[in-house]
Amino acid sequence: MNTLNRRSPVRFAAVAAPVLALALTGCSSPAGGERDAAAPDEHASETEVSAPRVVVSYDGGLLVLEGDSLEPVDEMPLDGFLRLNPAGDARHVMVSTDDAFRVLDTGVTIEAHGDHAHYYAGAPELTDIEFAAEHPGHVTTHAGTTALFADGTGRVELFAPATLGGGRPESTTYESPAEHHGVAVALDDGGLLTTLGTSETRTGAVVLDSSHTEIARTEDCPGVHGETVAADEVIVIGCENGVVLYADGVFTKVASPDAYGRIGNQAGSPESAIVLGDYKVDAEAEIERPQRVSLVDTDTATLRLVELGTSYTFRSLARGPHGEALVLGTDGAIHVIDPVAGVVSSRIDVIAPWTEPVDWQEPRPSLEVRGHRAYVTDSSTSTVHVVDLESGQITASAELPHVPIELSTVGD
């Protein structure tokens, strides 16, 4: 794989539909053995690649890229403002359109081999599997279940993403008492955590058992927005005055140090009990460009703030492979935060400085992490970059044929 810097992007000559073959290097079979040449090859019609794929949305469609080289694989025209989320099975991506959650198959199969994995790539496809929804909202994946929230009705639809390869999976639903911009998370015991609210106000969350009987409730979370899961299965939801934690059947409030201290976007990691969040203090601002982020320790139910010296947006937060907190600043760098010490330990320069647009649907740089790779888009130059988080080096860059809006990765 060629090592490229961000000043020498790979320009797409054209977006090709066929899968582009990539050489796989440095990967051996488990226990030092080799694949039996005489054994039937279930991947004979596929190409072995070295990473899962990346999906990028733009105004008018979707692009599928190889995850290591950023070579184009396919382009799929699709109207509307498109949002992207992993479907939860390491292969499919949920595409939120105007009136449905649609399923995109990236075409990559993962085969585990001991302490590593092999990736086999076929042709991607925007499938005909869809889940109708009025104003599709948040998508969450937890406990082997994907939860889709329809803001226009408050309807939650749940399914097992592992069954997506067989067509539209069987699903169950829960109808919220009122429509609102909400979120739901499936629980390990078959229960459901979902938000409380109306089209006018949002107040908290409720936990239901497998028969949808209420077992816990909090209404101490004004403006509830967003969720993540930390180590030991602690669920965190954001509020306009802090966060609420849910674990072992109990809600716990962690208050912000300011009367209005909104945490609406969070990034958790199974490697860390500490959750990264944004932090805003001006309730009247048309657009606030904060320069502090929040760190919530779910073990001690405490919150601290970290000064970055630069602003960021809702597409700027991620977690690294070791639980490190990552923030893409408007200075163009990934700020690496040690969540235990609560300090910025390093920074990785990736793109030029940029300014957050006022309209949240306008393109802006985005950060997405999969394993040891960080993906960063630059909407001002229509480029995307791969950063090796271990070395801090940019390993690939490409210029896209469209301005990127959102991106999503899949894989183990």
Side-chain angles (χ1 to χ4, degrees):
M1 179 171 61
N2 293 328
T3 300
L4 308 171
N5 61 46
R6 62 185 173 92
R7 294 178 177 82
S8 302
V10 176
R11 183 181 297 275
F12 289 170
V15 178
V19 175
L20 302 178
L22 297 174
L24 179 70
T25 60
C27 191
S28 60
S29 57
E34 295 187 4
R35 187 185 298 276
D36 183 355
D41 186 358
E42 62 182 295
H43 302 291
S45 63
E46 300 172 317
T47 301
E48 190 166 5
V49 296
S50 57
R53 286 171 172 162
V54 181
V55 180
V56 177
S57 70
Y58 62 90
D59 185 7
L62 305 164
L63 295 168
V64 181
L65 314 174
E66 297 292 9
D68 55 356
S69 67
L70 301 177
E71 291 286 342
V73 180
D74 204 352
E75 179 172 355
M76 304 169 181
L78 188 63
D79 292 334
F81 180 72
L82 308 174
R83 307 212 68 186
L84 305 175
N85 289 279
D89 66 343
R91 174 165 178 156
H92 295 84
V93 169
M94 303 303 299
V95 181
S96 300
T97 66
D98 291 338
D99 57 5
F101 297 95
R102 294 193 60 179
V103 177
L104 186 153
D105 182 353
T106 66
V108 175
T109 301
I110 298 177
E111 185 177 287
H113 278 184
D115 62 352
H116 67 284
H118 286 255
Y119 307 100
Y120 299 93
E125 177 190 9
L126 182 60
T127 73
D128 59 3
I129 303 171
E130 66 175 44
F131 300 83
E134 186 176 335
H135 302 307
H138 283 273
V139 177
T140 66
T141 57
H142 187 245
T145 301
T146 299
L148 312 175
F149 200 100
D151 292 347
T153 60
R155 187 173 192 252
V156 180
E157 189 158 9
L158 304 107
F159 65 91
T163 63
L164 277 172
R168 193 186 193 285
E170 294 184 2
S171 64
T172 60
T173 61
Y174 168 74
E175 302 290 344
S176 302
E179 64 183 80
H180 65 284
H181 178 52
V183 66
V185 184
L187 305 179
D188 289 324
D189 60 4
L192 182 70
L193 183 152
T194 187
T195 49
L196 295 168
T198 68
S199 59
E200 301 298 325
T201 185
R202 304 189 301 276
T203 57
V206 63
V207 174
L208 313 170
D209 65 16
S210 57
S211 63
H212 291 171
T213 299
E214 183 178 318
I215 59 175
R217 169 183 290 250
T218 179
E219 295 191 50
D220 188 15
C221 190
V224 59
H225 185 272
E227 59 72 42
T228 195
V229 182
D232 298 322
E233 305 299 313
V234 180
I235 299 174
V236 180
I237 56 175
C239 318
E240 290 179 349
N241 57 2
V243 299
V244 168
L245 316 179
Y246 177 77
D248 301 322
V250 177
F251 282 109
T252 301
K253 181 61 180 268
V254 182
S256 295
D258 299 278
Y260 181 88
R262 182 180 187 271
I263 300 173
N265 299 280
Q266 311 87 27
S269 167
E271 304 297 325
S272 176
I274 299 173
V275 166
L276 169 68
D278 56 2
Y279 193 74
K280 295 184 176 182
V281 296
D282 187 350
E284 305 302 323
E286 179 182 10
I287 180 170
E288 182 178 350
R289 296 185 170 96
Q291 296 195 10
R292 293 183 295 175
V293 293
S294 59
L295 295 175
V296 176
D297 189 326
T298 61
D299 282 342
T300 60
T302 56
L303 183 155
R304 75 168 86 177
L305 301 175
V306 178
E307 293 278 356
L308 293 180
T310 185
S311 62
Y312 58 91
T313 79
F314 69 94
R315 293 199 182 115
S316 293
L317 308 181
R319 301 302 290 269
H322 310 294
E324 61 269 43
L326 306 173
V327 183
L328 177 64
T330 56
D331 60 355
I334 298 175
H335 297 255
V336 182
I337 301 172
D338 179 333
V340 176
V343 297
V344 177
S345 57
S346 63
R347 54 175 283 158
I348 304 170
D349 293 318
V350 186
I351 61 177
W354 51 284
T355 301
E356 178 184 4
V358 174
D359 186 345
W360 74 270
Q361 291 189 343
E362 287 296 309
R364 72 203 53 213
S366 299
L367 170 66
E368 177 86 1
V369 172
R370 180 63 56 181
H372 296 266
R373 293 181 176 93
Y375 297 88
V376 176
T377 60
D378 186 345
S379 52
S380 66
T381 59
S382 295
T383 52
V384 60
H385 310 275
V386 183
V387 178
D388 181 341
L389 289 171
E390 301 300 336
S391 67
Q393 298 299 307
I394 297 174
T395 60
S397 297
E399 186 172 337
L400 305 176
H402 305 282
V403 178
I405 298 178
E406 291 204 351
L407 76 160
S408 181
T409 61
V410 294
D412 54 350

